[in-house]
Amino acid sequence: MSERRETLEELLGDQIVQLVMERDGWRPEHVRLLLERARMRSGIEPSIPPAHIIAKACLPQWMGS
């Protein structure tokens, strides 16, 4: 079993997922909106990027560039 988690975009891009959604009358934007509303109600903020991503983005500022 793979430990990899697929992103929402990967799942929505899957042909079988698209066929099931079409059959059930769902569109990708409906799924995105549903998940966004659930996230907002949960009070959970978007996750903070890993330190190496922050460091890469901030390195020019830290180096005085």
Side-chain angles (χ1 to χ4, degrees), residues 11-31:
L11 290 171
L12 293 175
D14 183 273
Q15 190 174 33
I16 292 176
V17 171
Q18 290 174 0
L19 289 171
V20 172
M21 286 179 17
E22 183 178 337
R23 181 199 67 198
D24 293 343
W26 281 81
R27 299 181 48 85
E29 55 270 18
H30 297 152
V31 175

Side-chain angles (χ1 to χ4, degrees), residues 4-57:
R4 183 178 178 279
R5 293 185 181 193
E6 293 188 49
T7 66
L8 178 59
E9 294 307 314
E10 289 172 325
L11 290 171
L12 293 175
D14 183 273
Q15 190 174 33
I16 292 176
V17 171
Q18 290 174 0
L19 289 171
V20 172
M21 286 179 17
E22 183 178 337
R23 181 199 67 198
D24 293 343
W26 281 81
R27 299 181 48 85
E29 55 270 18
H30 297 152
V31 175
R32 288 185 195 97
L33 181 60
L34 177 70
L35 293 174
E36 178 62 23
R37 286 180 178 172
R39 186 193 63 78
M40 289 173 62
R41 276 190 288 231
S42 73
I44 298 172
E45 292 297 317
S47 63
I48 298 172
H52 71 279
I53 300 294
I54 295 171
K56 183 177 179 181

